[in-house]
Amino acid sequence: MTGGAGIRAWLAQVWPRTEAALVLAGGDLRVPLADRAVLGEIFDDAALGELRGLATEGEFTGDICRCPGSLTVALLDAHGAVVGAAGLHGGTDLAWERGRFRNNLAVADPQGLCAFLRRYGAHWL
């Protein structure tokens, strides 16, 4: 497990490289991201900035949820390669690179995050 400071440092390197984001069906499953249904695509810089705030502000729990999560947000670089991904858990937590960090982020604005994700295809939230 990596502490919150380590994950925040990793996120600080990932977000500047992010050119787009995908909202994908399925949480932290063993199904490759490329094989999942795309619910929504985010290319707009303002929307990516909003997602960054919603997906990085909050407190790390020091643990992970035991459920598989409901969907995944994948961050893509300019070449379309995934540079980071997070599974949504309970509508309140994001597990950034769950297998790597094993530390959920309890987002500061879960209602805002869910509203944002609904705008991009996650209609059941």
Side-chain angles (χ1 to χ4, degrees):
M1 180 183 347
T2 300
I7 301 168
R8 287 189 195 286
W10 173 80
L11 285 168
Q13 293 176 358
V14 168
W15 278 105
R17 297 177 15 225
T18 299
E19 296 288 329
L22 299 176
V23 179
L24 303 171
D28 299 312
L29 306 170
R30 301 252 185 246
V31 177
L33 297 178
D35 294 341
R36 299 190 195 183
V38 176
L39 304 175
E41 301 171 317
I42 305 159
F43 296 103
D44 177 71
D45 287 340
L48 286 170
E50 182 180 359
L51 176 60
R52 181 178 183 168
L54 291 166
T56 60
E57 295 173 10
E59 298 297 322
F60 286 95
T61 66
D63 198 5
I64 56 171
C65 176
R66 301 308 185 252
C67 80
S70 57
L71 58 79
T72 296
V73 175
L75 307 179
L76 308 177
D77 67 11
H79 304 287
V82 175
V83 293
L88 181 68
H89 291 266
T92 60
D93 289 13
L94 285 173
W96 283 105
E97 301 290 322
R98 178 182 169 126
R100 178 179 178 187
F101 295 125
R102 304 188 60 77
N103 193 344
N104 278 18
L105 173 69
V107 298
D109 183 3
Q111 292 174 338
L113 177 61
C114 288
F116 179 90
L117 294 172
R118 278 192 298 274
R119 290 194 326 253
Y120 290 94
H123 301 292
W124 66 91
L125 292 176

